[in-house]
């Protein structure tokens, strides 16, 4: 089940306004070009910004996400009618045959157990053409990003059209081995309601990711930096074992 921050209609509606600078997605558009992808599956597409960007460039885009409220936001975007939206999970995709699958904004960290990650990666592999590629990012655990996940360093106050002022901040709840739990709070000035959303993410290191890729039938092609977040992210590029690119 998706976290409230993606699944609650009230929170999904403000997701883009609270994170309007999506330079991170430009790198994925560039990768689609670099790999000559004509069809792209955006796994964990959320409010669909990347899928709509890709479709506007003539790419056959499919966005999948378990959070219906986020998909409802995606469907309101200009050009969204060119995207195929699927409510579902990476592990249970319908029959697809795409050139490239991506997971942006650290979606790969939502898979908490290796079993869940491996089943999800296998689902994605089945949705790829034999010569297809998977690209996804994770936060580099060595950077310990969670050290900055406190009210002081995350507080924002944003006035959103039709919504009013929303104050938002993150509190770290726990760090247990490589599982990090945190809470986003959103205070709506119009009615004084504070809507919270708790999440847990897994901070796998490079070796742990490679084990899951291997167990899912992928071969690592490259690990790069995220151009917009140098030194903070690991961007994995994988091909299908035995496929054209392996
Ligand atoms: C941090 S958001 C990223 C959304 C979007 N990719 C972006 O760049 O804004 C993580 C997304 O992963 C989705 N998600 C959670 N579990 C999932 C699963 N099992 N399969 C696919 N997506 C999942 C959530 O619903 C959420 O929309």
């Amino acid at each position: 089940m998706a976290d409230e921050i993606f699944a609650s209609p009230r929170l999904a509606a403000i997701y883009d306004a609270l994170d309007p600078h999506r330079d991170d997605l430009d790198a994925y558009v560039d990768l689609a070009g670099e790999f000559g992808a004509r069809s792209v599956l955006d796994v964990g597409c959320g409010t669909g910004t990347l899928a709509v960007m890709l479709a506007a460039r003539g790419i056959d885009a499919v966005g999948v996400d378990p959070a219906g409220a986020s998909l409802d936001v995606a469907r309101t975007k200009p050009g969204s009618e060119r995207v195929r939206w699927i409510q579902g999970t990476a592990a249970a995709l319908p029959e697809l045959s795409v050139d490239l699958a991506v997971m942006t904004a650290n979606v790969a960290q939502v898979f908490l157990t290796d079993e869940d990650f491996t089943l999800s990666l296998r689902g994605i592999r089945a949705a790829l053409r034999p010569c297809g590629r998977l690209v996804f990012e994770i936060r580099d655990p060595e950077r310990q990003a969670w050290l900055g996940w406190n009210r002081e360093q995350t507080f924002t106050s944003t006035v959103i059209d039709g919504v009013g002022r929303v104050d938002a901040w993150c509190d770290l709840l726990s760090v247990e081995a490589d599982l990090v739990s945190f809470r986003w709070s959103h205070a709506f000035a119009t009615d004084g309601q504070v809507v919270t959303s708790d999440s847990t993410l897994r901070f796998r290191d490079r070796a742990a990711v490679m084990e899951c890729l291997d167990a899912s039938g992928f071969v690592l092609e490259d690990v790069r930096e995220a151009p917009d977040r140098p030194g903070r992210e690991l961007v994995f590029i994988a091909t299908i074992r035995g496929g054209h690119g392996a």
Side-chain angles (χ1 to χ4, degrees):
M1 211 176 73
D3 300 338
E4 277 298 288
I5 199 164
F6 314 116
S8 145
R10 197 168 193 193
L11 294 186
I14 60 171
Y15 178 89
D16 292 323
L18 293 184
D19 188 12
H21 305 296
R22 296 306 306 267
D23 304 346
D24 57 313
L25 300 180
D26 294 339
Y28 286 87
V29 173
D30 290 349
L31 281 165
E34 178 183 337
F35 298 135
R38 293 195 299 190
S39 51
V40 176
L41 170 63
D42 184 5
V43 179
C45 64
T47 57
T49 305
L50 176 66
V52 169
M53 284 166 75
L54 293 169
R57 287 160 175 78
I59 290 173
D60 188 6
V62 182
V64 64
D65 202 289
S70 291
L71 292 176
D72 287 345
V73 173
R75 288 192 186 95
T76 66
K77 295 186 174 175
S80 62
E81 66 284 352
R82 297 198 202 107
V83 178
R84 177 177 171 193
W85 303 107
I86 299 169
Q87 185 170 6
T89 63
L93 293 166
E95 200 172 317
L96 293 167
S97 181
V98 297
D99 297 325
L100 177 66
V102 299
M103 289 190 274
T104 65
N106 302 296
V107 168
Q109 292 189 248
V110 308
F111 306 109
L112 300 185
T113 65
D114 285 348
E115 186 189 7
D116 191 16
F117 194 27
T118 301
L119 285 174
S120 301
L121 290 172
R122 285 182 189 157
I124 294 169
R125 193 198 57 189
L128 284 169
R129 288 155 51 94
C131 58
R133 280 185 178 81
L134 167 63
V135 180
F136 63 90
E137 61 183 41
I138 58 165
R139 294 179 187 83
D140 185 343
E142 288 189 12
R143 295 296 297 256
Q144 299 183 296
W146 58 87
L147 295 178
W149 293 356
N150 53 62
R151 186 176 170 126
E152 196 189 0
Q153 292 180 68
T154 58
F155 186 90
T156 57
S157 190
T158 312
V159 176
I160 303 171
D161 278 353
V163 175
R165 199 187 82 231
V166 179
D167 294 344
W169 65 93
C170 182
D171 291 305
L172 186 65
L173 299 178
S174 67
V175 181
E176 290 169 20
D178 57 3
L179 291 175
V180 177
S181 299
F182 54 95
R183 172 173 298 151
W184 273 102
S185 299
H186 306 83
F188 290 81
T190 46
D191 61 5
Q193 202 187 354
V194 179
V195 185
T196 60
S197 174
D198 291 1
S199 300
T200 300
L201 295 178
R202 175 107 180 248
F203 279 73
R204 290 181 178 83
D205 60 18
R206 191 185 287 235
V209 171
M210 284 179 59
E211 267 180 39
C212 292
L213 281 172
D214 185 52
S216 313
F218 281 104
V219 176
L220 187 68
E221 183 175 77
D222 201 3
V223 182
R224 299 184 184 172
E225 299 237 27
D228 60 304
R229 288 156 291 164
R232 289 160 53 192
E233 299 274 324
L234 303 172
V235 182
F236 290 81
I237 301 175
T239 57
I240 294 180
R241 187 182 301 128
H244 183 62

